[in-house]
Amino acid sequence: AQKVTQAQTEISVVEKEDVTLDCVYETRDTTYYLFWYKQPPSGELVFLIRRNSFDEQNEISGRYSWNFQKSTSSFNFTITASQVVDSAVYFCALSEPSNTDKLIFGTGTRLQVFP
Amino acid sequence: DAGVIQSPRHEVTEMGQEVTLRCKPISGHDYLFWYRQTMMRGLELLIYFNNNVPIDDSGMPEDRFSAKMPNASFSTLKIQPSEPRDSAVYFCASSLAGNQPQHFGDGTRLSIL
């Protein structure tokens, strides 16, 4: 069965620290997609990245980077030089074409960045 | 481009009343999803549509919940009769295709007294 685990419930850092949010997934499929979403205190869900299972290249977007490792079924998210505006709940999610492409979300990691 | 538009943003009503949540997806998106978010259960998929047809409604909690998509630009989620345990934030999302990124509306915060 598909499953997404975000073991870190809450992380607190001080501004300018680097922080990594962990995501571990379970799937039996060879084709699948992984996502990260951000939910700031205002409540909306913001799409950050989508990665398919055949593309293991790490991705960097500004201060954000993602490390996809199929060998450990992980898709971790790192924020470099964190800022107060990064404070949010971050969700990792998985979808499988064999399971009607439903998004299965992890329970989220609440990140608090203090000035 | 306009994003996913949900209304109302907030709804407070008494138990037993009918509640209707509305969603306008992004134009051109063929998939529409309804989610519920609570502290206890996190984000749950309730139902989703492809080209206005319901594909998977296994997440709909019970018969009190119903969803429709009469056309490509409008969907409703109805709760009748409402109960206090239905209090949650309800999100609508749309995507171009099944495995493409879903874009979420701002949500409807529902409180049933």
Side-chain angles (χ1 to χ4, degrees):
Chain A
Q2 56 175 183
K3 185 178 176 182
V4 176
T5 301
Q6 295 181 256
Q8 305 151 306
T9 306
E10 198 161 331
I11 301 175
S12 295
V13 299
V14 177
E15 226 175 2
K16 298 184 183 175
E17 284 185 30
D18 299 347
V19 57
T20 295
L21 310 181
D22 297 334
C23 174
V24 174
Y25 61 91
E26 292 178 30
T27 178
R28 294 177 184 167
D29 286 16
T30 54
T31 301
Y32 52 90
Y33 300 86
L34 296 163
F35 302 79
W36 276 94
Y37 283 83
K38 173 182 179 180
Q39 188 172 37
S42 49
E44 72 274 22
L45 278 153
V46 179
F47 164 74
L48 294 179
I49 189 172
R50 168 185 179 267
R51 177 52 53 87
N52 75 57
S53 53
F54 299 107
D55 182 3
E56 285 195 75
Q57 282 193 348
N58 291 335
E59 178 148 346
I60 298 174
S61 176
R63 296 184 297 104
Y64 294 173
S65 62
W66 290 269
N67 184 356
F68 176 30
Q69 293 202 345
K70 289 176 77 169
S71 60
T72 55
S73 296
S74 65
F75 186 43
N76 297 338
F77 173 29
T78 297
I79 302 174
T80 302
S82 59
Q83 300 177 1
V84 172
V85 293
D86 297 326
S87 298
V89 180
Y90 291 86
F91 292 94
C92 181
L94 164 73
S95 75
E96 300 165 323
S98 68
N99 191 24
T100 66
D101 289 313
K102 290 192 295 189
L103 267 184
I104 302 299
F105 284 90
T107 51
T109 296
R110 180 178 300 278
L111 173 65
Q112 294 201 63
V113 182
F114 293 98
Chain B
D1 285 341
V4 175
I5 299 173
Q6 289 187 247
S7 64
R9 289 295 311 276
H10 303 274
E11 174 93 9
V12 181
T13 192
E14 292 186 348
M15 65 177 294
Q17 297 296 307
E18 178 179 292
V19 173
T20 299
L21 311 182
R22 297 172 175 80
C23 176
K24 177 179 169 56
I26 294 172
S27 177
H29 282 194
D30 289 338
Y31 285 73
L32 184 139
F33 305 82
W34 282 101
Y35 291 89
R36 178 172 68 176
Q37 185 177 34
T38 60
M39 288 295 293
M40 292 295 293
R41 301 173 70 93
L43 269 163
E44 304 173 274
L45 176 66
L46 300 177
I47 185 171
Y48 82 90
F49 297 83
N50 179 18
N51 291 319
N52 313 338
V53 176
I55 302 300
D56 186 340
D57 65 354
S58 60
M60 296 286 262
E62 47 197 276
D63 291 345
R64 298 184 298 105
F65 285 69
S66 62
K68 294 182 179 179
M69 192 164 186
N71 57 63
S73 58
F74 183 65
S75 176
T76 58
L77 177 68
K78 189 171 292 188
I79 308 172
Q80 168 63 20
S82 57
E83 297 182 2
R85 60 193 168 119
D86 302 330
S87 298
V89 180
Y90 290 81
F91 287 101
C92 176
S94 70
S95 66
L96 279 169
N99 55 40
Q100 292 296 312
Q102 294 179 22
H103 297 272
F104 285 76
D106 289 340
T108 294
R109 184 173 295 275
L110 177 63
S111 297
I112 308 296
L113 306 177

